[in-house]
Amino acid sequence: MASYERYQLKGGETRWRVWWRDPDHKRKNKSGFKTKRDASEWAARNVTVAMNDGAYIDPQGGRVLIGPLGDEWVETHRSVWKPSYTHSIEVSWRAHVCPKWGARKLSDVRHSEVQAWVSRLGAEKSATVTIRAFGILRGIYETAIQDGRLARSPCDGVKLPRKPRPVPVYLTPEQLRSLADCSGAYGPLILVLGLCGLRWGEATALTVGDVDFQRHRLHVSKSVTKVGGGFVLGTPKSGEARDVPLFGPVARALRPVCGGRAAGDLLFQGEHGGYVQPVSIGKNHASWYTRAFELSGVQPIRAHDLRHTAASIAVHSGANVKAIQRMLGHSSAAMTLDRYADLFSEDLDVLIGEVDAAVSSSFVDTGKCESL
């Protein structure tokens, strides 16, 4: 219920102020109305009706600065984000978002300003960096709208740069075998990545007890991520544990690795103990991963492309999509099909031959039902 108060300006003019309590029962007011009728109409529309419809917006809510809201937004999401993702968001917030928008009020930012910022950032940085920075600002505004601070977001309708989708690279089984043979003590790790399809963090988090030789399974229940200068152990990307087939070549390579060791020991250890450091191509020519490509003569690929290789080998071996989905830990078979659509294109040629062979006798031209 709103109440009204008449007051005078320094020049003697009369104005009206509206008083009301917001949904949290905090007393609010808005002043500057020339007549009580103006104040009453505003209150009816923006307070009484809005509260009844659940669309109440705090008239002063847009005055808050984006900086404190951004800090709060990052902090409240920390417990639901993966550590590596949290780290990337914090870096982006400090480097790209807060310096630009931190001192601005929510209600002062215009759509055109956000679009100009995104376009400028996209010209200087990668699409990934730009989209992540914009996502932070958009998230802050979405939270502000849900909290009733604003009615609209200046981020709505902003055009973003397209993030190029990397083209998967697949090794042949022969290339994978050669790479594993040239990887020394890390040969079994190469086979786990290239045949079982584990992500790097999942493979390097495996312990001896995760290998079940009797059931021919690898139990994937954790993943390790390098964040800053240290490692953080968490759950797999999907958040769920899964069992992955332990193929013959992998089992034979892992038996001597597991022999005489405790179940809690890391299956693969770094050169100086602890977790195996993430690898990349072209950055450290002295790494075991780079040397393995040089020795094997195989064209260097990202470690994640070994996961794609596992998918390729599984598809061409005749495995069904559902089994591949479970092995890779995808959320749905549709995701697997979408990600590896190019691998299934060859199946269309096989399907043509199989269908033609199955129905050819039924579709022989008999001359029946000729037109009269």
Side-chain angles (χ1 to χ4, degrees), residues 144-259:
I145 290 172
Q146 292 169 355
D147 286 346
R149 295 181 184 274
L150 291 171
R152 293 191 309 164
S153 168
C155 297
D156 292 345
V158 169
K159 293 179 174 58
L160 300 173
R162 290 190 176 183
K163 185 177 179 180
R165 190 172 188 175
V167 179
V169 180
Y170 313 110
L171 299 184
T172 66
E174 293 74 21
Q175 289 174 318
L176 180 64
R177 169 65 185 274
S178 178
L179 182 64
D181 288 344
C182 295
S183 296
Y186 295 107
L189 172 58
I190 294 295
L191 293 180
V192 167
L193 296 168
L195 285 178
C196 302
L198 271 65
R199 300 176 179 89
W200 178 267
E202 296 171 343
T204 55
L206 289 171
T207 58
V208 173
D210 291 325
V211 185
D212 189 337
F213 291 105
Q214 289 187 335
R215 296 180 57 244
H216 307 288
R217 296 287 189 275
L218 286 176
H219 186 58
V220 181
S221 62
K222 48 194 176 294
S223 180
V224 65
T225 307
K226 190 169 186 180
V227 179
F231 290 91
V232 177
L233 188 65
T235 59
K237 187 175 182 180
S238 64
E240 298 180 356
R242 70 184 190 278
D243 283 339
V244 173
L246 180 62
F247 301 107
V250 184
R252 289 191 292 272
L254 290 181
R255 282 191 182 278
V257 176
C258 295

Side-chain angles (χ1 to χ4, degrees), residues 1-2 19-29 46-48 51 56-61 147-148:
M1 190 72 177
W19 289 93
W20 74 94
R21 291 190 180 275
D22 69 8
D24 295 326
H25 303 290
K26 293 180 180 178
R27 202 155 186 248
K28 301 281 185 176
N29 75 84
N46 294 282
V47 177
T48 307
M51 283 189 181
Y56 172 78
I57 301 297
D58 184 354
Q60 312 300 326
D147 286 346

Side-chain angles (χ1 to χ4, degrees), residues 20 44 76 89 111 136 151 223 255 267 298 312 314 335 340 360 362:
W20 74 94
T76 55
I89 290 294
H111 169 85
I136 294 172
S223 180
R255 282 191 182 278
L267 186 59
V298 176
S312 173
M335 179 180 178
Y340 298 108
S360 58
S362 300

